[in-house]
Amino acid sequence: MLQVELTRIKTKDGIILDGITVQPKNTRNTALIWLHGLSSSFHSGHTLIKELSETCARAGMGYIKFNTRGHDIVARSDHRFIGAGIEKFEDCIHDIRAMI
């Protein structure tokens, strides 16, 4: 059975991002990081999440998928507005670094 967790990460500039991590029993300290597209969210694509996480687990790899600050059209992270409608694309570097 896979260990699936809903979790949060915080970027260097203070944005809190929700996501999912799937950790197999035996890991090679490697993980697939799935980056969704603009205005999408970590919880979209349930079938794909299941397929990818199971395939990764068989290969001894973890699987993670987090929101980026460009999820949804407009969203909130603590007291800040984020989302695709107001995202500065270069800021997604903070999101990717937090995931890693």
Side-chain angles (χ1 to χ4, degrees):
M1 183 124 207
L2 296 176
Q3 181 179 342
V4 179
E5 292 185 41
L6 292 174
T7 189
R8 289 184 163 158
I9 56 175
K10 189 173 187 177
T11 65
K12 187 176 180 180
D13 63 341
I15 302 292
I16 296 172
L17 304 171
D18 296 321
I20 185 171
T21 61
V22 181
Q23 184 68 33
K25 282 186 179 181
N26 301 314
T27 183
R28 299 184 334 220
N29 294 323
T30 304
L32 171 69
I33 300 173
W34 180 268
L35 290 172
H36 63 74
L38 187 63
S39 79
S40 188
S41 62
F42 83 90
H43 51 78
S44 62
H46 294 275
T47 303
L48 188 55
I49 291 171
K50 183 178 185 310
E51 293 289 328
L52 285 174
S53 62
E54 289 175 353
T55 299
C56 286
R58 284 192 297 274
M61 296 171 53
Y63 172 86
I64 67 172
K65 186 177 181 186
F66 280 88
N67 281 337
T68 63
R69 66 190 66 221
H71 75 89
D72 299 313
I73 300 300
V74 176
R76 286 184 69 143
S77 174
D78 284 336
H79 301 292
R80 291 161 76 170
F81 286 103
I82 58 174
I86 53 178
E87 180 183 24
K88 292 167 78 177
F89 182 73
E90 59 270 14
D91 288 342
C92 74
I93 298 292
H94 299 299
D95 306 342
I96 295 167
R97 284 187 177 142
M99 290 178 210
I100 293 169

